[in-house]
């Protein structure tokens, strides 16, 4: 009789462990769907996406040059080496454009944090990350 009780006692943790594994798997699947949905939502609202910091940790805009049409948006996404900000250079913006109004002076501090800006005036826009400009974190947006 004791052997039967011991067998039942041992079986319970295995079932609980299997159940926990199934729950963790389900949570991971739901999280994956949520992240995919977020990425699709961001992509749907941005005509171009620029990473702040490369996947290998380099302090760059990736891509360094982006081309869009007038009236389209660019979304900058914190990727690596943050904090970052996005400064539109007033000396490298089309005439009549308020570069300060387009800039994001406050730092993006967390991974995945983003800033989207809509550009209506055709021309070339120079951009840089203020804390990393000296390291070469500069870029260009061309609006056709």
């Amino acid at each position: 009789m004791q052997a039967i009780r011991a067998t039942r006692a041992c079986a319970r943790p295995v079932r609980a462990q299997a159940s926990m594994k199934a729950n963790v798997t389900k949570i991971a699947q739901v999280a994956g769907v949520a992240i995919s949905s977020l990425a699709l939502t961001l992509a749907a609202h941005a005509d171009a996406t620029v990473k702040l910091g490369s996947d290998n940790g380099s302090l760059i805009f990736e891509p360094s040059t982006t081309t869009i049409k007038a009236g389209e948006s660019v979304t900058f996404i914190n990727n690596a080496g943050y904090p970052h900000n996005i400064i539109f250079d007033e000396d490298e913006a089309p005439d009549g454009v308020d570069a300060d109004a387009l800039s994001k002076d406050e730092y993006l501090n967390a991974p995945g944090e983003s800033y989207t800006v809509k550009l209506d005036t055709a021309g070339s826009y120079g951009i840089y990350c203020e804390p990393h400009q000296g390291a070469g974190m500069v870029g260009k947006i061309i609006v056709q």
Side-chain angles (χ1 to χ4, degrees):
M1 185 80 161
Q2 285 180 330
I4 293 173
R5 286 184 189 159
T7 305
R8 286 184 183 165
C10 291
R12 285 186 183 143
V14 172
R15 272 190 249 148
Q17 193 174 26
S19 177
M20 181 181 282
K21 184 177 179 183
N23 285 339
V24 169
T25 301
K26 186 170 185 160
I27 290 169
Q29 289 170 342
V30 169
V33 169
I35 290 170
S36 296
S37 296
L38 177 61
L40 289 173
T41 300
L42 286 174
H45 294 293
D47 299 298
T49 301
V50 176
K51 289 181 183 179
L52 301 173
S54 70
D55 291 338
N56 70 10
S58 297
L59 297 173
I60 61 172
F61 290 99
E62 193 173 84
S64 61
T65 301
T66 303
T67 302
I68 61 171
K69 292 182 170 53
E72 292 184 339
S73 299
V74 177
T75 295
F76 298 89
I77 298 178
N78 234 4
N79 187 49
Y82 36 85
H84 298 294
N85 62 4
I86 301 96
I87 306 298
F88 282 78
D89 189 335
E90 64 185 14
D91 295 328
E92 294 184 41
D95 290 338
V97 170
D98 184 356
D100 288 337
L102 299 174
S103 297
K104 171 76 171 165
D105 292 321
E106 297 84 27
Y107 293 137
L108 301 176
N109 289 303
E113 245 186 307
S114 66
Y115 171 67
T116 300
V117 62
K118 181 179 176 186
L119 300 172
D120 294 316
T121 305
S124 180
Y125 296 75
I127 56 172
Y128 61 90
C129 171
E130 198 166 41
H132 302 123
Q133 182 180 14
M137 193 164 178
V138 297
K140 183 178 285 194
I141 300 172
I142 299 168
V143 180
Q144 299 175 336

